[in-house]
Amino acid sequence: MSDDPWGEDPHYAHQAAWQNISTQFTNSGYRQGIIAGKEASLQEGFDVGFANTGTPIGRELGVLRGIASALVSFLSSTNTTPAELDEARAIATSLSRIRFTDIAPPDIEAEQHAREHLHNDDPGLVQTEVLSQKREMEILEDMLSHMNARETERIRPTREDVVKLKGRLSSLSERLGLSLSFQDLDTDK
């Protein structure tokens, strides 16, 4: 027995402390492993989405906008009909109003995941401040653009609108005798 008036074993305190520290490290390691796994999955998902969706759509939209802007510039500096210049400007303006989110295919898996977790009040799905600000800015942009718009113009553009604008751009370039290749652009998906 020890000289401790409460009859406690002095080694017990050390064992309890050791057990507490060991448990904390185990829990911390487990949490770090979960976080690392989520980050790896998130990065892999981003990489696939960026390569298969983001890059092709962004490239296509950028090329179409560039061609339309170049046509407007070209037609502004040459003797052309006002109708052709107006058509090029209309196409360029329409392309400038298209957002990636308007034409990207929906991520059904992410939407389903969000629906499941919204019902569980999962704090992992709380909107970030940056995302909230972006959504607020898009709403504000839509409100400003609709102030003078007719009712039929209030619908956001779709993938089909991009295909139609590409056709109009191709037709205009053909009428002008310009040889532009749209074959590399993947608008028909």
Side-chain angles (χ1 to χ4, degrees):
M1 285 280 208
S2 72
D3 294 337
D4 187 355
W6 288 279
E8 291 184 10
D9 183 3
H11 296 293
Y12 175 76
H14 292 294
Q15 287 177 330
W18 173 254
Q19 184 63 33
N20 186 26
I21 290 171
S22 176
T23 300
Q24 286 177 356
F25 273 106
T26 300
N27 290 342
S28 178
Y30 178 76
R31 280 192 300 273
Q32 288 175 355
I34 293 293
I35 290 169
K38 286 181 179 180
E39 287 175 355
S41 294
L42 184 63
Q43 184 63 50
E44 182 180 335
F46 172 83
D47 292 346
V48 169
F50 185 79
N52 296 339
T53 303
T55 300
I57 290 174
R59 179 181 174 271
E60 171 192 13
L61 196 54
V63 168
L64 290 173
R65 286 176 176 167
I67 291 171
S69 294
L71 271 178
V72 169
S73 179
F74 171 74
L75 293 173
S76 296
S77 64
T78 61
N79 290 335
T80 185
T81 66
E84 291 169 333
L85 181 57
D86 289 344
E87 172 71 356
R89 283 184 177 147
I91 294 169
T93 299
S94 295
L95 286 169
S96 72
R97 291 183 179 142
I98 298 172
R99 296 184 191 131
F100 176 81
T101 54
D102 293 332
I103 60 175
D107 187 344
I108 295 169
E109 185 177 322
E111 289 174 4
Q112 178 62 30
H113 179 77
R115 274 190 221 97
E116 290 171 5
H117 290 275
L118 285 176
H119 297 299
N120 297 337
D121 295 328
D122 186 347
L125 289 175
V126 174
Q127 279 192 357
T128 64
E129 186 176 337
V130 173
L131 185 56
S132 294
Q133 289 174 350
K134 181 180 177 189
R135 290 189 196 280
E136 288 174 15
M137 184 57 72
E138 286 182 350
I139 290 168
L140 184 60
E141 288 171 351
D142 287 343
M143 286 172 40
L144 288 172
S145 69
H146 297 325
M147 288 177 71
N148 294 321
R150 293 183 300 257
E151 194 64 36
T152 57
E153 295 174 349
R154 292 181 182 217
I155 299 171
R156 293 294 317 155
T158 64
R159 188 88 184 131
E160 291 76 28
D161 294 323
V162 174
V163 172
K164 289 176 186 174
L165 289 168
K166 176 185 166 189
R168 286 173 59 192
L169 198 55
S170 178
S171 175
L172 178 61
S173 65
E174 287 175 14
R175 285 196 315 264
L176 295 170
L178 301 173
S179 176
L180 300 176
S181 174
F182 294 96
Q183 292 177 352
D184 293 340
L185 299 178
D186 194 39
T187 54
D188 301 325
K189 277 191 173 178

